């Protein structure tokens, strides 16, 4: 078990960069389409059941939610996008906030891009990859809900996505299942590099 992830705790939630913690230390964002399993992934990697709120209504997270690992390191849960039944003006604001965050947040050290293994690389995912690539930001794609597919099918999707991201030098991909804890060690190891726990 990685103790530093298990000790994660809720820090704050804010609708824009104005309310964010000071721009210092290390931040790693979790981004993904609504219903991709982002909250479940955060709970799984921290070995907590209720740290990130899992909603049956996709798109409920409409703020930047910060979780503190220690005084210098934070996980950031980005608003979900895609299925959310919210006004277009709200979606436009999400887009604006994300763009501002990528361009102005100096403490950003990495991205975990969450995709449902059954629906990978949708337009929003591609947009996020392009943002990360534009600032050379290390990115870990986790293909969640891999338990929903047979092993052969999930592996085929993994290989397909891996082939499609070859043009991005700082991007890697893995299979992940919150239910079966599949891929947890791989994700921990990647996060350790993002957060500076290892050289």
């Amino acid at each position: 078990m990685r103790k530093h992830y298990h000790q994660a705790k809720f820090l704050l939630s804010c609708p824009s960069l104005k309310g964010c913690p000071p721009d210092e230390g290390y931040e790693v964002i979790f981004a993904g389409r609504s219903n991709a399993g982002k909250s479940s992934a955060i709970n799984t990697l921290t070995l907590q059941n209720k740290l990130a709120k899992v909603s049956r209504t996709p798109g409920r997270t409409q703020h930047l939610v910060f979780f503190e690992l220690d005084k210098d390191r934070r996980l950031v849960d980005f608003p979900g996008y895609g299925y959310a039944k919210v006004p277009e003006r709200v979606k436009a604001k999400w887009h604006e906030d994300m763009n501002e965050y990528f361009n102005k947040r100096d403490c950003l050290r990495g991205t975990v891009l969450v995709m449902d293994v059954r629906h990978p690389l949708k337009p929003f995912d591609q947009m996020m990859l392009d943002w990360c690539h534009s600032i050379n930001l290390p990115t870990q794609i986790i293909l969640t809900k891999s338990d929903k597919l047979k092993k052969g099918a999930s592996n085929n999707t993994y290989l397909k996505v891996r082939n499609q991201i070859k043009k991005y030098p700082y991007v890697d991909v893995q299979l992940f299942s919150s239910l079966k804890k599949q891929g947890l060690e791989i994700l921990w190891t990647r996060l350790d590099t993002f957060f500076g726990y290892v050289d």
Side-chain angles (χ1 to χ4, degrees), residues 81-140:
Y81 193 92
Y83 290 113
K85 295 180 180 180
V86 297
E88 287 300 319
R89 60 178 175 77
V90 176
K91 291 183 181 181
K93 184 64 167 58
W94 290 353
H95 189 284
E96 179 184 331
D97 288 343
M98 285 188 286
N99 189 50
E100 185 179 8
Y101 185 98
F102 274 94
N103 288 322
K104 295 184 177 180
R105 198 72 173 164
D106 291 334
C107 63
L108 180 57
R109 292 292 185 269
T111 298
V112 176
L113 185 51
V114 183
M115 304 180 196
D116 187 324
V117 69
R118 299 165 296 181
H119 311 288
L121 291 174
K122 296 297 184 182
F124 171 74
D125 303 321
Q126 191 63 56
M127 178 184 71
M128 293 297 296
L129 280 175
D130 290 340
W131 263 336
C132 295
H133 177 64
S134 70
I135 58 174
N136 296 322
L137 185 68
T139 302
Q140 184 77 357

Side-chain angles (χ1 to χ4, degrees), residues 56-72:
R56 293 185 179 182
T57 304
R60 287 292 292 275
T61 302
Q62 296 180 18
H63 287 61
L64 295 167
V65 182
F66 292 81
F67 303 102
E68 184 179 74
L69 302 183
D70 57 46
K71 65 182 182 65
D72 296 317

Side-chain angles (χ1 to χ4, degrees), residues 8-199:
K9 60 184 179 181
F10 173 79
L11 181 61
L12 60 86
S13 173
C14 59
S16 69
L17 279 182
K18 293 180 181 179
C20 289
D23 189 2
E24 54 192 35
Y26 300 77
E27 283 182 358
V28 174
I29 65 171
F30 275 69
R33 298 175 73 241
S34 301
N35 210 32
K38 187 159 48 73
S39 296
S40 294
I42 291 173
N43 288 337
T44 298
L45 80 93
T46 59
L47 302 178
Q48 299 185 43
N49 294 325
K50 299 179 180 180
L51 181 65
K53 293 182 179 179
V54 179
S55 173
R56 293 185 179 182
T57 304
R60 287 292 292 275
T61 302
Q62 296 180 18
H63 287 61
L64 295 167
V65 182
F66 292 81
F67 303 102
E68 184 179 74
L69 302 183
D70 57 46
K71 65 182 182 65
D72 296 317
R73 296 173 174 87
R74 297 172 295 276
L75 297 172
V76 188
D77 187 3
F78 260 39
Y81 193 92
Y83 290 113
K85 295 180 180 180
V86 297
E88 287 300 319
R89 60 178 175 77
V90 176
K91 291 183 181 181
K93 184 64 167 58
W94 290 353
H95 189 284
E96 179 184 331
D97 288 343
M98 285 188 286
N99 189 50
E100 185 179 8
Y101 185 98
F102 274 94
N103 288 322
K104 295 184 177 180
R105 198 72 173 164
D106 291 334
C107 63
L108 180 57
R109 292 292 185 269
T111 298
V112 176
L113 185 51
V114 183
M115 304 180 196
D116 187 324
V117 69
R118 299 165 296 181
H119 311 288
L121 291 174
K122 296 297 184 182
F124 171 74
D125 303 321
Q126 191 63 56
M127 178 184 71
M128 293 297 296
L129 280 175
D130 290 340
W131 263 336
C132 295
H133 177 64
S134 70
I135 58 174
N136 296 322
L137 185 68
T139 302
Q140 184 77 357
I141 295 173
I142 60 172
L143 300 173
T144 59
K145 307 182 184 182
S146 61
D147 55 280
K148 299 290 186 181
L149 296 178
K150 291 184 178 179
K151 186 175 182 180
S154 62
N155 283 336
N156 285 340
T157 299
Y158 162 76
L159 292 172
K160 182 179 179 180
V161 172
R162 189 177 70 173
N163 185 61
Q164 290 177 297
I165 63 172
K166 284 182 178 179
K167 61 182 178 180
Y168 300 107
Y170 301 105
V171 181
D172 203 354
V173 61
Q174 66 168 102
L175 292 170
F176 191 85
S177 169
S178 293
L179 181 64
K180 296 188 176 181
K181 305 294 190 293
Q182 178 190 8
L184 185 54
E185 285 286 348
I186 296 173
L187 180 57
W188 276 338
T189 298
R190 185 73 156 145
L191 285 172
D192 280 353
T193 64
F194 291 171
F195 281 120
Y197 287 121
V198 295
D199 295 330

